Amino acid sequence: MIGLENASVAFGKRTVLDKLNFNVPRGQCMAILGPNGRGKTTALRAMLGFQPLASGSRVAPQVVGYVPQYASASQSYSVREVVVMGRATGLGLFGQPRLGDYAAADSALERVGAERFSGERFDRLSGGERQLVLLARALATGSDVLVLDEPGSALDLANQQRLLVMLDGLRQQRDKAIVFTTHDPNHALAAADTALLMMPDGPALFGPVEEMIAPAPLEALYGVPMRLVEMEAGKGRTRAVLPAFAGRRAA
Amino acid sequence: MTDATLGPAQSRRPFGISATALVFAGMGAFTLLNIVIAICVGRYGVPVGRALEIVAHATLNPGAELSEIDERIVWLVRTPRVLLAALCGAGLAVSGAALQGVFRNPLVSPQVLGISQGAAFGGALAISLGIWGAPLLIMVFLFGLSALAMVGFIARIDGRTEIITVILSGMVVGALFSAFVSLLQYFADPNSSLPAIVYWLMGSFATATWERVGIAAPGMAIGVFLLWSLRFRLNILSLDDAEARSLGARPDLERWIIFVLVALVVGSQVAVSGVVGWIGLVIPHACRLMVGYDHRKLIPASIIAGAGYMVLIDTLARTMTTAEIPLGVLTAIVGAPVFALLLRHHYREKGSK
């Protein structure tokens, strides 16, 4: 559905992507993890077609639903106006959204549970609400592919949870290919089927979340000791990964 | 479509259809009122009924002999003048709104991109060479467009065009063309072409004739119509490039389509009425306060309000004193304080977010 084939990107002499290969089929959700500057964002941009490739190719449908990390809020559009922009892909240069496009925008807003602030101004929403609206815009494109750039990275824990539950709900419907980048391995545990680890040296690792989000590969990825903990949470047992940062040990 | 036919989803529409309709009705009334007043008042006053009768008669019987003095004043002097002012006001306002959208910056205007200065140089050059009429329009448009092309060339670094470099390049190119205009004035014949250049640069509709309406109207109409057709696309282009691209737009290419349309509109306007500033800044701002940021409302609102405002300013310019006040002077005197207030309002609101 969406992926890269032997994609290489170099900025000057620095090779950022070296023959990167992955393909996310419909019904799967993949998380991309990696240290800063290792090419997560470049891989994301390459996947979306914003980043010219030195070699290799991109596999993607015509329209990809994209959720940026931050939204441009220079213009004070209403939430509904923002979401209906997702329909622009099918409208061409001179097209105007029609009733059907508004219906699609409204149902996308309902899907992410954001219909109650449909009439409010986008730039007056909180960060968490904005991300939901951007997700709704991506859904409104009608694309089978959803690409998210560090979803929830700027949100507090409650809003991260809300967004991840939403993402997991979309994953469980199994009708889309979903890819997101993240700094937090727990995001991958919460919402992804597979994970791509962009190792600091050497080729990227790819595998199911259960194998990838484990102490050994993550320690190699970040150079920080990691521990997997199981705990009671909500209705059942759940797992989380914890980094053990060096430094003062308060305990 | 009426409110009754809309489903529950549509009744949630922001700014409610009826409220927007009310604002548009008010703007339309303001513009019409100004047009009617402009046709009636002046050193030779004409009663409203008589003026409308003359306009209706002349429109229905084109080519009919106009023998009465009030007929000649209303139909041959004031009507083309009012039409030209309305067209230019609409064109400048819509150009400003479109540029502010694609630059995501409420402070840009055709002057900022150097289009007006380039166009002014083309016009001044034409006047120095004794060229008037349609060839002058062509020179004005070509120089406006070449100023824009220069901006594009300077701002494109390593195949990328950053918005801030476009604005700065626009200022550079504008300054260069302003210097060229000064040079032309320095060398111009003080008895003939110098006053013509100076007066033309200050901006006026005093020389409006039906012929000039014919010269300016096609470019203006095409440009304004296409910018209006692009109103939803302008929403997309006002987003970050990455977002716009993900929504199917090609921001680099499409921004230039907007620039060329703006050059067409501003070139046509400068050709017939000289440089008129401030309209493209003040009107879109005022319209945003009334109808919101959505270009699907902002663009038509700017067209209507820009036309009415320009007609009002022109009426003031020719009636306030016995001599005509140059338009550029009036638009600045009215526009600068209004704009200062709008600016404070804008940033106060931004700060309160």
Side-chain angles (χ1 to χ4, degrees), chain A residues 21-46:
Chain A
N21 256 311
F22 65 85
N23 197 331
V24 182
R26 183 194 302 268
Q28 273 215 357
C29 178
M30 184 180 86
I32 302 179
L33 292 99
N36 286 335
R38 186 58 192 82
K40 283 194 308 292
T41 304
T42 309
L44 194 94
R45 290 174 54 84

Side-chain angles (χ1 to χ4, degrees), chain B:
Chain B
M1 192 180 314
T2 63
D3 278 354
T5 65
L6 292 169
Q10 275 65 44
S11 61
R12 282 206 304 268
R13 208 168 197 154
F15 311 112
I17 285 192
S18 52
T20 310
L22 213 62
V23 171
F24 274 98
M27 281 183 184
F30 164 80
T31 302
L32 274 180
L33 186 70
N34 273 311
I35 289 175
V36 172
I37 291 173
I39 291 174
C40 298
V41 302
R43 221 166 308 159
Y44 187 99
V46 180
V48 177
R50 174 67 182 148
L52 293 178
E53 184 193 330
I54 294 169
V55 171
H57 183 257
T59 316
L60 295 174
N61 308 291
E65 194 67 33
L66 300 171
S67 47
E68 303 289 327
I69 179 110
D70 57 354
E71 282 179 344
R72 300 185 63 85
I73 286 176
V74 167
W75 186 247
L76 296 181
V77 179
R78 287 190 193 148
T79 309
R81 180 170 185 156
V82 168
L83 267 182
L84 206 57
L87 269 174
C88 290
L92 287 170
V94 81
S95 299
L99 289 179
Q100 286 148 24
V102 295
F103 280 115
R104 303 156 210 153
N105 186 323
L107 300 179
V108 301
S109 68
Q111 271 91 344
V112 170
L113 279 185
I115 301 174
S116 297
Q117 292 89 333
F121 173 72
L125 188 65
I127 295 172
S128 312
L129 299 172
I131 298 170
W132 290 94
L136 181 138
L137 174 88
I138 292 167
M139 280 186 73
V140 165
F141 173 65
L142 286 181
F143 276 95
L145 202 61
S146 53
L148 190 61
M150 281 170 71
V151 172
F153 178 75
I154 298 171
R156 198 171 175 82
I157 297 164
D158 292 339
R160 293 176 44 99
T161 313
E162 302 261 348
I163 284 186
I164 185 73
T165 50
V166 174
I167 293 178
L168 293 174
S169 312
M171 294 171 93
V172 170
V173 170
L176 188 68
F177 276 109
S178 295
F180 286 159
V181 170
S182 302
L183 202 64
L184 277 180
Q185 287 177 323
Y186 185 74
F187 286 118
D189 180 350
N191 295 316
S192 58
S193 55
L194 181 60
I197 293 174
V198 169
Y199 192 56
W200 179 76
L201 283 178
M202 282 195 289
S204 172
F205 293 107
T207 52
T209 57
W210 280 108
E211 192 201 347
R212 289 199 165 205
V213 174
I215 288 174
M220 293 260 188
I222 293 170
V224 170
F225 174 75
L226 288 178
L227 287 172
W228 173 76
S229 308
L230 286 162
R231 61 201 183 279
F232 182 58
R233 202 57 160 189
L234 281 166
N235 280 357
I236 308 294
L237 292 175
S238 73
L239 305 174
D240 279 351
D241 277 11
E243 288 182 81
R245 290 181 69 162
S246 80
L247 296 174
R250 289 149 295 173
D252 274 341
L253 172 72
E254 290 170 19
R255 264 207 294 269
W256 282 102
I257 295 178
I258 306 280
F259 293 168
V260 170
L261 292 175
V262 167
L264 182 63
V265 170
V266 174
S268 304
Q269 176 271 319
V270 170
V272 291
S273 51
V275 177
V276 181
W278 291 98
I279 308 282
L281 223 43
V282 171
I283 296 297
H285 249 277
C287 289
R288 264 184 216 109
L289 291 180
M290 287 186 274
V291 300
Y293 280 70
D294 186 348
H295 288 86
R296 281 171 299 151
K297 291 170 202 152
L298 178 62
I299 293 290
S302 297
I303 293 173
I304 298 170
Y309 181 70
M310 189 81 257
V311 172
L312 172 66
I313 291 284
D314 183 47
T315 308
L316 291 175
R318 65 189 169 84
T319 55
M320 268 168 45
T321 60
T322 47
E324 283 214 9
I325 306 170
L327 279 182
V329 174
L330 261 193
T331 52
I333 291 174
V334 179
V338 171
F339 189 70
L341 286 175
L342 289 173
L343 203 63
R344 285 181 60 81
H345 174 90
H346 178 84
Y347 282 101
R348 185 177 299 139
E349 202 174 60
K350 247 200 157 86
S352 72
K353 272 174 204 166

Side-chain angles (χ1 to χ4, degrees), chain A residues 17-242:
Chain A
L17 300 186
D18 190 15
K19 299 213 168 102
L20 185 62
N21 256 311
F22 65 85
N23 197 331
V24 182
R26 183 194 302 268
Q28 273 215 357
C29 178
M30 184 180 86
I32 302 179
L33 292 99
N36 286 335
R38 186 58 192 82
K40 283 194 308 292
T41 304
T42 309
L44 194 94
R45 290 174 54 84
M47 215 159 46
L48 290 162
F50 301 166
Q51 175 65 54
L53 299 175
S55 67
S57 62
R58 154 183 186 246
V59 183
Q62 193 76 36
V63 178
V64 175
Y66 166 57
V67 183
Q69 192 177 354
Y70 302 105
S72 41
S74 63
Q75 315 272 325
S76 307
Y77 297 121
S78 81
V79 166
R80 199 159 181 252
E81 286 162 359
V82 168
V83 177
V84 87
M85 287 185 206
R87 306 296 296 170
T89 43
L91 292 172
L93 208 50
F94 295 108
Q96 301 298 324
R98 305 191 173 281
L99 287 182
D101 297 309
Y102 278 103
D106 289 332
S107 84
L109 273 171
E110 244 163 77
R111 227 174 139 180
V112 302
E115 68 271 27
R116 69 186 176 284
F117 33 80
S118 157
E120 282 173 41
R121 275 170 55 170
F122 179 75
D123 56 335
R124 296 213 172 131
L125 300 181
S126 74
E129 292 166 339
R130 283 190 203 184
Q131 280 238 312
L132 289 181
V133 172
L134 294 177
L135 182 60
R137 185 178 71 188
L139 291 173
T141 61
S143 172
D144 297 332
V145 176
L146 215 50
V147 173
L148 303 93
D149 188 7
E150 302 197 1
S153 61
L155 303 183
D156 63 40
L157 293 177
N159 275 305
Q160 285 184 32
Q161 155 116 332
R162 197 162 147 215
L163 194 70
L164 290 168
V165 167
M166 186 74 56
L167 207 54
D168 187 46
L170 289 170
R171 179 187 70 93
Q172 284 175 16
Q173 293 182 3
R174 301 286 176 204
D175 59 348
K176 284 186 198 315
I178 306 174
V179 180
F180 66 90
T181 56
T182 182
H183 275 298
D184 190 340
N186 291 304
H187 287 190
L189 280 179
D193 300 300
T194 55
L196 181 76
L197 307 190
M198 303 191 69
M199 305 308 283
D201 31 43
L205 289 181
F206 173 80
V209 160
E210 293 73 23
E211 290 170 26
M212 290 293 115
I213 308 303
L218 289 176
E219 277 173 31
L221 185 67
Y222 292 116
V224 177
M226 292 286 203
R227 205 178 142 197
L228 196 63
V229 293
E230 297 220 356
M231 53 189 176
E232 299 289 338
K235 289 181 194 120
R237 291 182 74 72
T238 184
R239 290 175 307 152
V241 218
L242 294 179

